[in-house]
């Protein structure tokens, strides 16, 4: 049970789940993409559902770990939000398939993972809204509804999907810097 | 062939297409939602595909008509962009089902509608990017990549989806004003 082979299965699955949806991608097509027999797939992973769980929870862990570090840091609130916005942009650029699947296919998670995933997401967004409120209270940011601010920047970052699908006239760093300028600039006083 | 009944069919279809996807919603469920026999549905509309075409092209027409009017107006470029961002937000608030279907289910359009729809969308986004560039050239807006600016605000507005699905702690007008403050504020110098 090489963990490298398992990682490859998860990576190929992420790509297939994004392209065809969780329901549209079969374990047979995963096996084909990895280049092994469908039967030997099960030496590495129990089920399609287990792959989805691994993708969704790995992405959630990265964001959570980053959020914990940012909250503990000594930065201003605007700087903290910039750090978080930047990690979301980078993840959309560098781990696009995984983030996309985690954002769009989580609804196919089985219980108890589904409820747990949604609870974590709600709590994560609440922490983001609290940060926005803190920025307003400290006079660093304009007076904006924190809930609207959070759905605005999270959804805006999802727009990097179009960049992945387009002819890419600009590079990753330019996408990151321009989007940060827009989304952090819009929060500042 | 009452046009009122036809409008009702399209409205119910929009809701079903959004909830179950174009492929997941059958003409039988449309008939049930409208409260007529499946057979008499075809007195009003030719096919499921025709309904999707009507939804997608009506939404596209509204945005195009508005864009034409804005471009002809005597406003500053920032004001023009604010007008356009506002109409996108209002459409997401007031005609959510139609806009959602037009944004997510267009890929099921048959040719020649599919190519035409995508051409119109590309051209519309180019006009938006040109407006951003004009705002920069006139010194009204910060120097930001116009392509990134456009995918950022269009995707951000798509985030109103979360508001529709949530407990709605704030009202439509507050969503509109806060999102405009964020997205137009972020463009200004």
């Amino acid at each position: 049970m090489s963990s490298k082979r398992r990682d490859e299965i998860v990576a190929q699955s992420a790509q297939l789940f994004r392209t065809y949806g969780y329901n549209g991608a079969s374990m047979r097509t995963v096996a084909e993409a990895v280049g092994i027999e469908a039967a030997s797939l099960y030496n590495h992973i129990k089920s399609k559902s287990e792959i989805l769980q691994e993708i969704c929870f790995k992405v959630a862990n990265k964001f959570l770990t980053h959020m914990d570090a940012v909250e503990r840091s000594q930065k201003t609130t605007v700087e903290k939000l910039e750090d978080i916005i930047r990690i979301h942009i980078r993840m959309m650029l560098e781990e696009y398939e995984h983030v996309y699947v985690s954002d769009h296919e989580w609804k196919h998670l089985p219980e108890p993972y589904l409820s747990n995933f949604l609870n974590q997401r709600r709590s994560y967004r609440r922490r983001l809204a609290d940060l926005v409120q803190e920025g307003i209270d400290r006079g660093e940011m304009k007076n904006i509804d924190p809930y609207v601010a959070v759905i605005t920047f999270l959804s805006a970052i999802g727009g990097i999907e179009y960049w992945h699908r387009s002819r890419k006239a600009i590079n990753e760093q330019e996408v990151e810097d321009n989007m940060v300028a827009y989304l952090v600039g819009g929060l500042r006083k």
Side-chain angles (χ1 to χ4, degrees), chain A:
Chain A
M1 277 226 269
S2 88
S3 152
K4 197 173 152 249
R5 178 47 62 91
R6 191 189 154 96
D7 290 347
E8 199 191 335
I9 292 168
V10 173
Q12 291 287 352
S13 301
Q15 202 177 324
L16 291 166
F17 292 176
R18 182 188 66 72
T19 312
Y20 303 107
Y22 178 74
N23 283 334
S26 68
M27 285 296 261
R28 201 179 44 75
T29 57
V30 171
E32 272 170 23
V34 179
I36 57 176
E37 295 290 320
S40 40
L41 207 55
Y42 295 97
N43 295 331
H44 303 283
I45 206 122
K46 243 172 33 208
S47 61
K48 197 168 80 161
S49 168
E50 193 181 87
I51 301 175
L52 182 63
Q53 291 159 42
E54 180 156 334
I55 293 170
C56 290
F57 284 83
K58 264 195 178 165
V59 170
N61 283 347
K62 288 207 181 173
F63 286 129
L64 270 178
T65 309
H66 186 261
M67 167 80 91
D68 289 340
V70 166
E71 282 183 342
R72 276 193 312 270
S73 75
Q74 298 299 314
K75 299 182 170 179
T76 67
T77 311
V78 170
E79 285 168 346
K80 286 179 184 173
L81 275 163
E82 175 168 339
D83 274 2
I84 291 168
I85 286 172
R86 222 174 253 282
I87 197 84
H88 275 266
I89 293 171
R90 285 228 189 103
M91 289 280 285
M92 263 302 274
L93 289 166
E94 293 163 11
E95 301 191 34
Y96 174 51
E97 314 283 358
H98 289 73
V99 174
Y100 185 94
V101 169
S102 167
D103 276 358
H104 292 84
E105 301 295 320
W106 55 263
K107 47 188 164 287
H108 301 291
L109 285 171
E111 291 291 359
Y113 304 102
L114 178 61
S115 298
N116 182 269
F117 184 80
L118 288 176
N119 280 334
Q120 286 193 55
R121 200 171 71 155
R122 241 190 319 271
S123 140
Y124 184 82
R125 290 184 178 189
R126 210 176 303 120
R127 285 164 79 182
L128 284 176
D130 287 347
L131 266 180
V132 174
Q133 188 60 56
E134 181 187 289
I136 297 165
D137 293 342
R138 291 189 176 171
E140 292 177 38
M141 279 158 43
K142 69 170 68 147
N143 195 2
I144 191 168
D145 181 86
Y147 168 76
V148 173
V150 171
I151 63 172
T152 300
F153 68 68
L154 287 181
S155 304
I157 294 164
I160 292 174
E161 184 186 334
Y162 295 110
W163 177 81
H164 279 289
R165 294 175 181 206
S166 76
R167 64 278 168 285
K168 298 187 180 39
I170 64 171
N171 67 33
E172 291 197 2
Q173 191 60 50
E174 288 167 326
V175 172
E176 178 181 332
D177 292 340
N178 279 282
M179 207 173 253
V180 166
Y182 192 168
L183 294 174
V184 177
L187 288 175
R188 279 181 205 278
K189 248 190 169 163

